[in-house]
Amino acid sequence: MRYNKVKDLIEWAEGFHRRMAQQYSEAADKTDNERLQMALTYLASQEIQMQKGLNGLFHDGTDHKEVLETWFDESSDFPEPPELEQMAEKSVEGSVDEITRAAVETHTRLQKFYEHRALRSRIEPEATFFNSLAEGHEAQTRKLVTSMQEFEDI
């Protein structure tokens, strides 16, 4: 389907964060390494927080309705960008450093995805909306790196 609404993208992103949270939680349950378990549990909680934040856009009382109902033209594999879908399916294992790199890559790609949508926006509120999401992901990535470094130091 070439034509989608912004809300379709937000619903997809919400599901993406939910899948990532589940992936991190399952990996935390399987590991015997306490530091790794804490790091994975932290990542899962951050993904749930982001998922809830996106869900809140539908219910937060602000007027995002105009933007959420905006139609846009995109390729047929949208709103599931193949590279992000592949990341949601990868197994999570390795050291805290390896998991941090994978989490940062995921957030960076999602940020770039939002920036792409902002650039292709046809109305200013839509561009502002996606730029805000991209900036939020950038800030979340910085926080994630700082927090994960603390797990590395434990």
Side-chain angles (χ1 to χ4, degrees):
M1 180 176 184
R2 283 185 53 117
Y3 295 96
N4 298 276
K5 288 187 176 183
V6 170
K7 72 178 181 180
D8 298 330
L9 184 149
I10 298 304
E11 288 170 349
W12 171 83
E14 181 187 2
F16 178 79
H17 286 297
R18 185 176 37 255
R19 287 191 310 275
M20 292 302 296
Q22 181 178 0
Q23 183 182 38
Y24 291 135
S25 291
E26 289 172 0
D29 291 343
K30 291 178 185 175
T31 186
D32 293 332
N33 182 318
E34 197 171 329
R35 181 183 342 169
L36 196 52
Q37 185 178 40
M38 289 188 311
L40 288 162
T41 300
Y42 169 78
L43 288 173
S45 71
Q46 292 304 299
E47 292 293 337
I48 289 169
Q49 182 181 356
M50 287 183 278
Q51 181 238 331
K52 287 180 179 179
L54 289 174
N55 183 272
L57 293 173
F58 296 105
H59 314 288
D60 68 359
T62 60
D63 191 18
H64 294 294
K65 187 173 177 71
E66 175 187 359
V67 172
L68 292 172
E69 293 297 326
T70 301
W71 288 92
F72 60 90
D73 183 13
E74 192 64 62
S75 65
S76 61
D77 63 358
F78 189 85
E80 295 93 13
E83 68 278 0
L84 284 168
E85 286 297 316
Q86 290 169 358
M87 295 180 109
E89 301 301 322
K90 283 170 56 174
S91 65
V92 178
E93 52 191 44
S95 68
V96 171
D97 189 49
E98 291 169 321
I99 291 168
T100 301
R101 275 196 304 271
V104 167
E105 181 182 1
T106 300
H107 284 281
T108 301
R109 286 187 185 219
L110 197 50
Q111 176 188 338
K112 298 277 186 226
F113 182 57
Y114 290 146
E115 289 169 350
H116 167 76
R117 283 298 339 135
L119 288 172
R120 296 200 52 175
S121 296
R122 297 192 182 235
I123 60 172
E124 186 58 35
E126 182 184 3
T128 300
F129 180 80
F130 282 113
N131 279 325
S132 177
L133 288 175
E135 290 167 7
H137 261 280
E138 183 178 18
Q140 185 66 28
T141 301
R142 285 192 308 271
K143 178 183 172 189
L144 183 141
V145 169
T146 301
S147 297
M148 293 300 282
Q149 286 173 341
E150 291 175 15
F151 289 114
E152 193 69 45
D153 294 340
I154 293 176

